[in-house]
Amino acid sequence: MTTNAVGSEVLRYTAFSSTPDGGNPAGLVLDASGLDDAGMLGIAAGLGYSESAFLTAPPEGLGGEEGRAYSIRYFSPKAEVPFCGHATVAAAVALAERIGPGELVFATRAGTVPVTVAEEGGVFRATLTSVEPHVEEVTDADLGEALAALDWPAADLDPAFPPRIAFAGARHLVLAAATRARLAELAYDYARLEALMHRLDLTTVQLVWRESATVFHVRDPFPVGGVVEDPATGAAAAAFGAYARELGLVPADAVLTLHQGEDLGRPGELTVTLCADDPRVRVGGSGTRIG
């Protein structure tokens, strides 16, 4: 697939899965220098994936090895978003196939995001390091509106996981289900949740269920991006890692496994690594080309 206007090749990769039918698909343009905002949005809308990524030359002073540093922008089918984890992983894997594994640096609207790519058994695996995160309270009124839009009774929440808004490049409302069955039943009021998310400047709602001390299942409604649900969400995984650490729900040094996409038939796995001496969050996973 190419764009008629400039001939920029549009690639399709999936992130957080080593097989094309798992994880979260992303469109990629590795040289978007000839595209304007409308052109990027048009490609993203035409693909219909939750996000597509567009790479251009790095800004002056970004750092990184020559030929391994880029500016990157992300578009959903509806609008530009400041940061997207799965499209970053997908772009890093696509680049590694062309220039080899190693260190990459991306300039995003949210800040500088380094990525390390390694090859393991013939599969490329990329690990991004988020910008510095933060966590904030959510008002009772906004929480009530979110639960009403989701049609989730407050009694179905896990009291061990207080609702919060978490940021690690983009803002996500974190809500924890008390049971796996509650998480599996996702049929929400699209317009109502979209309106709340626009008002709170949320990228997704991060719905989680804790299977064990370090294993979680997650889902991410994404109506503001024009997608009912995001199949695997790296930015939300980073935000959740920051949230879990700040609230003392996991150790300051921890490796968490997040399973996402099972309820959509696109299973993916995200690894979230927390380091006590670094406030940033690392999110890693495999990736592969589609088609």
Side-chain angles (χ1 to χ4, degrees), residues 116-195:
T116 300
V117 187
E119 187 174 2
E120 302 173 2
V123 175
F124 284 109
R125 182 178 179 85
T127 300
L128 65 86
T129 299
S130 77
V131 299
E132 189 161 337
H134 61 260
V135 179
E136 63 188 68
E137 301 275 349
V138 58
T139 69
D140 290 343
D142 289 337
L143 173 60
E145 179 63 11
L147 294 176
L150 291 167
D151 195 23
W152 279 25
D156 284 356
L157 295 178
D158 185 341
F161 288 74
R164 294 287 190 275
I165 293 172
F167 169 91
R171 287 164 56 85
H172 306 266
L173 173 61
V174 180
L175 299 175
T179 66
R180 182 66 177 89
R182 172 70 279 173
L183 185 68
E185 297 173 7
L186 183 60
Y188 66 91
D189 186 325
Y190 188 98
R192 188 172 184 176
L193 188 61
E194 181 183 21

Side-chain angles (χ1 to χ4, degrees), residues 67-291:
R68 302 187 69 90
Y70 301 86
S71 295
I72 186 169
R73 296 174 69 183
Y74 313 94
F75 285 80
S76 78
K78 279 191 173 181
E80 186 172 8
V81 297
F83 175 65
C84 171
H86 90 272
T88 302
V89 167
V93 168
L95 288 169
E97 290 179 349
R98 289 154 177 81
I99 62 176
E103 303 299 319
L104 298 163
V105 182
F106 293 107
T108 79
R109 278 180 50 198
T112 301
V113 176
V115 182
T116 300
V117 187
E119 187 174 2
E120 302 173 2
V123 175
F124 284 109
R125 182 178 179 85
T127 300
L128 65 86
T129 299
S130 77
V131 299
E132 189 161 337
H134 61 260
V135 179
E136 63 188 68
E137 301 275 349
V138 58
T139 69
D140 290 343
D142 289 337
L143 173 60
E145 179 63 11
L147 294 176
L150 291 167
D151 195 23
W152 279 25
D156 284 356
L157 295 178
D158 185 341
F161 288 74
R164 294 287 190 275
I165 293 172
F167 169 91
R171 287 164 56 85
H172 306 266
L173 173 61
V174 180
L175 299 175
T179 66
R180 182 66 177 89
R182 172 70 279 173
L183 185 68
E185 297 173 7
L186 183 60
Y188 66 91
D189 186 325
Y190 188 98
R192 188 172 184 176
L193 188 61
E194 181 183 21
L196 175 68
M197 291 173 68
H198 277 301
R199 182 163 60 78
L200 298 180
D201 190 27
L202 301 176
T203 297
T204 75
V205 177
Q206 173 84 332
L207 306 174
V208 307
W209 173 72
R210 187 174 203 162
E211 177 182 317
S212 69
T214 59
V215 178
F216 298 83
H217 294 253
V218 300
R219 302 184 72 174
D220 283 80
F222 187 33
V224 294
V227 176
V228 172
E229 183 177 352
D230 203 17
T233 318
F240 175 71
Y243 156 91
R245 177 174 56 192
E246 179 161 317
L247 273 65
L249 301 168
V250 299
D253 279 306
V255 178
L256 312 178
T257 300
L258 275 56
H259 295 286
Q260 190 173 358
E262 293 175 349
D263 299 286
L264 293 172
R266 293 195 63 91
E269 183 175 295
L270 302 85
T271 301
V272 176
T273 303
L274 305 171
C275 302
D277 60 353
D278 189 344
R280 300 173 300 171
V281 180
R282 290 157 179 80
V283 178
S286 55
T288 191
R289 187 164 184 165
I290 301 172

